Amino acid sequence: MRIPILSIHPIKVLRTPRHFSSKSASRASKNRSLSSARPLPQEEVESDWGTIHDYKQRAMIPYHPARLAPSIQERTSAAQEMTLSYAGTVPIPITSNLQLIQPEDDTPRGIWPVYRLMVSTHRRRPQNALRTLEQDGEIRDPAYDGINQPVLRPDVTTPDDVEDNLDQFRAFLAHAHPYQSDEIQKSGLLRASKYPYVDTNSNNTLLRAHRQIVRLRQMDDILLNAQRQGRISFYLTCRGEEAILMGAASALEVGDPVFAQYREQGVLMWRGFTLEQFTNQCFSNILDLGKGRQMPIHYGSRALNYHTVSSPLGTQLPHAVGAAYRLKLAGEPNVAVCFFGDGSTSTPDFHSALNFAATLNAPAIFLCRNNGYAISTPTSDQFAGDGVISRAPGYGMAGVRVDGNDIFAVHAAVREAKQYALSKNAPVLIEAMTYRQGHHSTSDDSSQYRSVDEVLTTTENHDPLNRLEAFLKKHDLLSEEDVEVMRKQERNDVVKAMEQAERRPPVPMRELFTDVYHDMPLHLQRQQAQLEAHVKKYPEKYA
Amino acid sequence: MKILLHSLPRRSWLTARRPLSHLTMATDPTIMSVTSSAQGMNMFQAVNDAMKIALETDPTAIVFGEDVAFGGVFRCSQGLQERFGKDRVFNTPISENGIAGFAIGYAATGGTAIGEIQFADYIYPAMDQLVNEMAKFRYRSGNQWQAGGATLRMPAGAVGHGGHYHSQSPEAYLAHTAGLTVVMPSSPKAAKGLLLASIRSKDPVIFLEPKALYRSAVESVPLGDYEVELGKARILREGSDVTLVGWGAQIQRLQKACDLAKEMDGIDCELIDLQTIVPWDAEAVEQSVLKTGKLVVSHEAPITCGFGAEVVAELQERCFWALEAPIKRVCGFDTPFPLVFEKYYLPDETRNLEAIREVVRSSR
């Protein structure tokens, strides 16, 4: 089935959609936009995607769900507390507004809000400890998922067959959830890119994100197997975290330097690192940009503004602060973004970097992939406070916690964080909640510290690719056959790239001594001469 | 160059000439001559002048560290914030790993970062950033990325009352790291030139400033913009009997030892100041030892695995058959740097004199 290329317009309610009830139609005809539906706080920042709300005003609204305010927005903002429980972590209550909590505001009572995307549904979810969320990619309203007090929304009827294209979907969102849907409506993922993407030959950003996730999964699977077969020495997958990587990368530009940990190959892929380049680095052949000096998965690309990965945890965070400061002094409209896991938040560099960024006003985005485990250490052994985001007010910086398996949420958070960082020259901490589906690396066997059942259940319920595919299928942007064809194509591409990379010659020996310094000093020249003479004498030993 | 006192402008008390009885300053003929005039400066003024010139000539240059905004605990950054602004000269929180990492990130994004560590004794939290990141930044990326614009300067060495944590010389730990450049000047004129060369070097540099010389060492320092080449040792004194190798404040003690050896025993010493600890000028020392046949290496840091061991190992390999006596090292003892025992601990001119006498006595 040919995937239609959609033209994206800003949302306009031109006529009453026929499947809405008369009540909602009348409300729709009043053209309730976000700005007219709620009281405007005094301090607001206008941005491309609506207004960034001042939390001080919003904090006036009681946070406790028992004291719900009558209007829809206020009820949504003080929504029922749901508990999201990833295996191995502390249950985290969830509300449904994306709010960048600014440092000068009062600390919110209770746990930090989590941004989720919800759309109303008349179905009630059963209550269980591990909540089943968005199995079909549907976006649901929290009011319908209340544990104790399900609040019915008689004014909005969920259509049984949802809109069949994104424009109508946006119209639906505008009516039903003007507050939350604003984020999705204005999402850069739903906008067309200016030029067609080279690898998908279409302008559709969301479909490109999906295709890239499929490609990333295939690459991870195949290269993992290559390590098991002994063809490469090491590999590390990012299975389960693709929504964070693609969501964040699609909200950034190439001008934003990325300082990654090691599990962010998706960001590099989004920017344009080819399968050939990935496999060349893993096989350390002559075309490896890093000249074969580091283990596999330690990618780096100057052209794509992605700093070369290093193994020590957390060391990239102060680098991001320095880079952000440089960008600020140079007046560039770019932020420095760094990625790290939950384990890295215990390192001294994390503390130093956040403290520096906040005191020096560096526009850096710190994005934590809280995937539940640091090799075998669960987050309950890693920190005793409320996750990572609770440290943001301690350092005096803004922050938000998002559902890391929801590509729209991560995209919105990073986009808003970038706007915040640039307009205020201030850092932002984003904690993206997700789950590490694979082992830590090929040197790890996670069945030794977590049950296979936990992995399978969490994968089934929270897999970001499943969610995105369900969403796309629901809105007829994709069919199962398309996905199957895509998987086969990407698999073939990866296998071809890998076989080519394997056959290429290795990096020449002289590159052992170059690049230690800008100009090779005398002592290295002498050592190089010694080694060359030695290898020349015993060529068979070093073949 | 002799400057007549009455022809100079009136001095402030900061730049007043102080008695130099315990120091003999050698004017270095190898430093390129400059057209602008020179001024008597001590080492912190020379460092201050170098940073001022760096900030003037390089619009991306910044100076940061603990307490640099008001001038620094040794006044090295005096007047810089007033002149260049709070964006370019600023305090950081107390975090050496943060300072080092910040410098790396700033340099990697195209800027010139001049970071200060308050004392070299506090470099250790930054060792992960220095060894695992700064030193390997260019190499691991295949020369795509580099952090050459980063320079970390710090006061090092004995000061008379520093004790364990204000007297250390960590050059050995840093020299063992491939990819770092470690520089230690021994006089104000060299300090200014070496610091400008370090800041402008295409590789990251650790600049160790002998804090004992900040106020006490005064020299006529050219006011203009000049550099002293990194990786080159300077021969302060030519001789034919013994080669002495040292760096930093130790040079002053070695000068005195040379004088004593000449006066009392007629021994003609050749004194070499390494200036750059790594990559170091082994060729210059080799040439000298081939001439004299005897070598004494002296440094403040503890003897075991100090940088003197590297000098000795390399020289014995290159010059074994030319050596007339075993090479001697005159260094600090293998203890933490003590307070009240400093006069015993430091390898002073008397211990060096004894070493010189011994190598001459035991030579063939």
Side-chain angles (χ1 to χ4, degrees):
Chain A
M1 180 191 127
R2 208 170 60 82
I3 298 165
I5 295 173
L6 304 161
S7 58
I8 314 291
H9 313 290
I11 190 62
K12 282 194 188 111
V13 180
L14 297 173
R15 56 177 174 79
T16 309
R18 59 182 181 280
H19 46 261
F20 283 170
S21 69
S22 55
K23 256 195 189 169
S24 66
S26 63
R27 200 171 292 197
S29 61
K30 287 180 204 160
N31 194 20
R32 289 180 73 180
S33 68
L34 177 62
S35 51
S36 62
R38 60 172 176 82
L40 282 179
Q42 282 176 345
E43 292 158 39
E44 256 181 6
V45 178
E46 285 291 333
S47 68
D48 283 343
W49 40 90
T51 47
I52 298 172
H53 314 290
D54 180 32
Y55 183 74
K56 241 189 227 131
Q57 293 292 323
R58 207 188 73 73
M60 306 288 279
I61 300 163
Y63 183 83
H64 196 279
R67 285 173 275 149
L68 293 175
S71 74
I72 291 178
Q73 282 74 29
E74 283 164 330
R75 181 167 59 220
T76 317
S77 69
Q80 300 289 335
E81 283 191 30
M82 279 182 11
T83 307
L84 171 69
S85 202
Y86 286 111
T89 65
V90 176
I92 304 153
I94 298 167
T95 61
S96 59
N97 292 325
L98 177 64
Q99 280 280 335
L100 276 179
I101 310 299
Q102 302 191 29
E104 61 270 14
D105 303 325
D106 298 327
T107 314
R109 282 168 279 172
I111 309 296
W112 281 77
V114 178
Y115 178 49
R116 301 293 310 285
L117 293 177
M118 307 289 193
V119 140
S120 68
T121 172
H122 56 277
R123 295 189 294 275
R124 264 190 237 177
R125 299 287 178 203
Q127 303 175 25
N128 49 24
L130 190 66
R131 300 198 56 94
T132 305
L133 303 160
E134 281 79 24
Q135 276 181 327
D136 51 3
E138 210 181 18
I139 309 171
R140 304 194 324 261
D141 189 280
Y144 281 78
D145 290 312
I147 296 170
N148 299 316
Q149 300 174 29
V151 179
L152 293 173
R153 301 273 303 274
D155 53 323
V156 177
T157 313
T158 307
D160 288 330
D161 46 311
V162 194
E163 296 78 359
D164 51 11
N165 65 48
L166 281 176
D167 283 340
Q168 283 184 305
F169 173 64
R170 282 210 193 79
F172 169 66
L173 286 178
H175 287 286
H177 308 278
Y179 189 76
Q180 299 154 325
S181 65
D182 209 41
E183 302 300 335
I184 307 178
Q185 285 181 48
K186 294 185 167 131
S187 168
L189 282 171
L190 295 182
R191 282 204 196 105
S193 72
K194 226 197 260 181
Y195 307 103
Y197 292 107
V198 168
D199 51 359
T200 51
N201 200 25
S202 82
N203 302 62
N204 194 312
T205 307
L206 187 60
L207 290 179
R208 187 197 187 218
H210 171 257
R211 181 144 198 150
Q212 292 247 319
I213 296 180
V214 171
R215 179 179 307 154
L216 186 55
R217 282 268 167 108
Q218 292 299 326
M219 184 179 85
D220 275 354
D221 282 345
I222 290 165
L223 288 176
L224 181 80
N225 289 332
Q227 194 277 342
R228 295 293 182 224
Q229 294 165 14
R231 292 157 88 169
I232 53 176
S233 57
F234 178 82
Y235 195 72
L236 196 153
T237 66
C238 60
R239 203 179 178 87
E241 303 177 31
E242 294 93 346
I244 297 177
L245 307 181
M246 296 306 172
S250 54
L252 300 168
E253 294 165 5
V254 167
D256 301 316
V258 168
F259 294 84
Q261 181 74 67
Y262 44 59
R263 214 182 283 281
E264 293 87 10
Q265 50 264 43
V267 175
L268 200 47
M269 189 181 269
W270 178 269
R271 289 204 166 173
F273 214 57
T274 62
L275 289 171
E276 287 75 27
Q277 287 175 309
F278 278 114
T279 48
N280 286 338
Q281 199 282 331
C282 288
F283 284 88
S284 304
N285 62 33
I286 196 169
L287 290 186
D288 175 19
L289 291 174
K291 298 184 189 170
R293 287 152 179 172
Q294 287 212 83
M295 287 163 69
I297 69 95
H298 289 68
Y299 312 110
S301 168
R302 180 71 189 263
L304 303 177
N305 220 352
Y306 186 98
H307 281 262
T308 304
V309 162
S310 70
S311 310
L313 295 180
T315 48
Q316 72 277 17
L317 277 89
H319 301 176
V321 182
Y325 196 83
R326 172 82 197 116
L327 293 169
K328 177 175 89 163
L329 287 195
E332 307 271 350
N334 292 118
V335 293
V337 184
C338 61
F339 293 81
F340 48 97
D342 42 290
S344 300
T345 63
S346 305
T347 62
D349 282 330
F350 170 86
H351 162 71
S352 304
L354 265 66
N355 199 19
F356 271 52
T359 52
L360 300 179
N361 301 313
I365 297 178
F366 298 100
L367 207 159
C368 176
R369 303 173 285 99
N370 187 337
N371 61 15
Y373 289 93
I375 307 189
S376 70
T377 309
T379 48
S380 53
D381 288 347
Q382 196 67 245
F383 31 73
D386 173 25
V388 174
I389 198 63
S390 53
R391 306 177 204 185
Y395 290 113
M397 66 167 68
V400 67
R401 168 183 279 156
V402 296
D403 175 3
N405 295 330
D406 186 336
I407 194 170
F408 291 107
V410 178
H411 180 95
V414 174
R415 199 191 57 225
E416 190 157 333
K418 178 173 173 176
Q419 173 66 11
Y420 179 91
L422 286 176
S423 62
K424 304 211 174 183
N425 273 329
V428 182
L429 176 62
I430 302 174
E431 184 183 7
M433 311 298 298
T434 181
Y435 187 79
R436 192 194 78 204
Q437 291 179 14
H439 307 299
H440 163 71
S441 71
T442 50
S443 312
D444 178 49
D445 173 20
S446 61
S447 64
Q448 295 192 14
Y449 49 84
R450 61 182 184 183
S451 66
V452 177
D453 188 52
E454 171 196 309
V455 182
L456 290 175
T457 321
T458 319
T459 305
E460 195 186 307
N461 295 332
H462 299 284
D463 185 55
L465 182 58
N466 291 348
R467 284 174 70 166
L468 181 58
E469 278 181 356
F471 176 89
L472 292 171
K473 284 173 195 165
K474 192 111 197 168
H475 301 294
D476 279 340
L477 293 171
L478 208 63
S479 71
E480 187 54 48
E481 299 86 52
D482 293 334
V483 175
E484 209 38 60
V485 165
M486 202 186 296
R487 270 194 216 127
K488 284 205 176 67
Q489 281 176 346
E490 297 299 342
R491 188 178 185 83
N492 286 341
D493 288 345
V494 174
V495 170
K496 196 168 76 162
M498 186 181 74
E499 286 173 350
Q500 281 177 350
E502 207 172 14
R503 283 188 228 116
R504 286 195 181 102
V507 187
M509 188 181 73
R510 68 173 177 276
E511 299 293 357
L512 168 58
F513 295 98
T514 52
D515 305 327
V516 182
Y517 297 91
H518 181 265
D519 300 314
M520 196 189 294
L522 273 174
H523 71 283
L524 282 181
Q525 290 175 25
R526 286 167 73 106
Q527 291 172 20
Q528 183 178 31
Q530 283 170 12
L531 179 64
E532 281 173 358
H534 178 77
V535 170
K536 198 168 167 194
K537 191 166 175 193
Y538 298 98
E540 70 284 353
K541 297 273 188 197
Y542 297 94
Chain B
M1 183 177 78
K2 258 184 136 184
I3 301 171
L4 297 170
L5 271 173
H6 65 262
S7 67
L8 287 169
R10 184 177 166 72
R11 293 182 169 283
S12 75
W13 67 274
L14 278 175
T15 58
R17 285 192 184 283
R18 294 196 177 81
L20 301 173
S21 54
H22 61 293
L23 291 170
T24 43
M25 222 23 86
T27 333
D28 182 1
T30 62
I31 292 177
M32 55 189 243
S33 61
V34 293
T35 51
S36 52
S37 60
Q39 181 181 312
M41 288 189 208
N42 58 27
M43 191 175 271
F44 79 71
Q45 290 165 337
V47 166
N48 185 278
D49 203 31
M51 288 203 283
K52 180 174 69 80
I53 291 171
L55 288 163
E56 277 168 358
T57 54
D58 183 349
T60 72
I62 56 171
V63 172
F64 55 94
E66 296 155 27
D67 301 301
V68 301
F70 87 102
V73 292
F74 290 108
R75 303 195 215 148
C76 292
S77 51
Q78 220 166 23
L80 294 181
Q81 192 180 62
E82 288 86 57
R83 181 155 169 176
F84 297 100
K86 291 199 168 112
D87 274 350
R88 295 181 70 191
V89 180
F90 52 91
N91 291 335
T92 64
I94 301 176
S95 169
E96 286 73 22
N97 55 334
I99 292 169
F102 184 90
I104 294 167
Y106 191 87
T109 317
T112 301
I114 308 166
E116 176 181 301
I117 305 286
Q118 197 155 87
F119 284 88
D121 312 56
Y122 314 139
I123 190 72
Y124 307 107
M127 284 302 273
D128 187 22
Q129 287 288 341
L130 293 178
V131 171
N132 277 331
E133 304 291 319
M134 192 185 266
K136 299 172 171 57
F137 213 80
R138 185 191 295 275
Y139 191 76
R140 73 187 186 203
S141 69
N143 203 19
Q144 294 186 88
W145 297 102
Q146 50 86 25
T151 307
L152 280 186
R153 27 169 304 278
M154 57 199 78
V159 73
H161 52 275
H164 296 340
Y165 305 115
H166 299 80
S167 316
Q168 289 179 41
S169 301
E171 70 269 6
Y173 300 109
L174 300 165
H176 189 59
T177 310
L180 287 184
T181 306
V182 180
V183 176
M184 197 170 197
S186 64
S187 73
K189 190 150 78 171
K192 177 176 167 180
L194 287 168
L195 182 54
L196 280 169
S198 303
I199 291 168
R200 292 163 180 168
S201 162
K202 293 195 171 71
D203 299 305
V205 176
I206 314 292
F207 194 80
L208 301 165
E209 300 162 356
K211 62 174 86 68
L213 303 182
Y214 271 147
R215 287 159 44 121
S216 63
V218 180
E219 202 176 15
S220 174
V221 176
L223 286 169
D225 187 348
Y226 67 96
E227 293 180 27
V228 172
E229 192 184 344
L230 298 183
K232 284 273 170 287
R234 66 170 169 164
I235 300 176
L236 288 168
R237 198 190 269 249
E238 301 225 0
S240 53
D241 292 331
V242 189
T243 304
L244 263 59
V245 173
W247 48 87
Q250 188 66 12
I251 292 291
Q252 308 310 319
R253 299 177 204 111
L254 289 175
Q255 292 272 28
K256 278 187 240 175
C258 292
D259 291 339
L260 287 172
K262 187 77 189 168
E263 275 171 39
M264 297 167 70
D265 297 338
I267 299 173
D268 205 18
C269 300
E270 179 144 306
L271 177 57
I272 301 181
D273 174 12
L274 275 194
Q275 293 193 306
T276 303
I277 309 297
V278 74
W280 64 288
D281 194 356
E283 280 63 36
V285 182
E286 182 187 357
Q287 291 308 313
S288 174
V289 173
L290 288 173
K291 183 174 71 174
T292 63
K294 298 177 270 296
L295 176 61
V296 173
V297 185
S298 186
H299 57 71
E300 288 179 19
I303 188 168
T304 299
C305 285
F307 195 71
E310 165 66 24
V311 176
V312 170
E314 185 68 20
L315 263 300
Q316 69 81 28
E317 184 176 342
R318 294 190 191 201
C319 308
F320 186 83
W321 304 109
L323 284 170
E324 297 166 13
I327 305 174
K328 271 208 80 69
R329 290 179 292 167
V330 187
C331 307
F333 301 113
D334 290 325
T335 69
F337 199 107
L339 177 72
V340 76
F341 311 117
E342 181 165 330
K343 66 172 186 272
Y344 302 114
Y345 182 92
L346 278 181
D348 57 13
E349 62 273 13
T350 319
R351 276 173 55 197
N352 278 295
L353 175 64
E354 281 306 302
I356 294 168
R357 283 175 170 166
E358 193 177 326
V359 295
V360 169
R361 213 174 14 238
S362 64
S363 69
R364 295 171 187 277

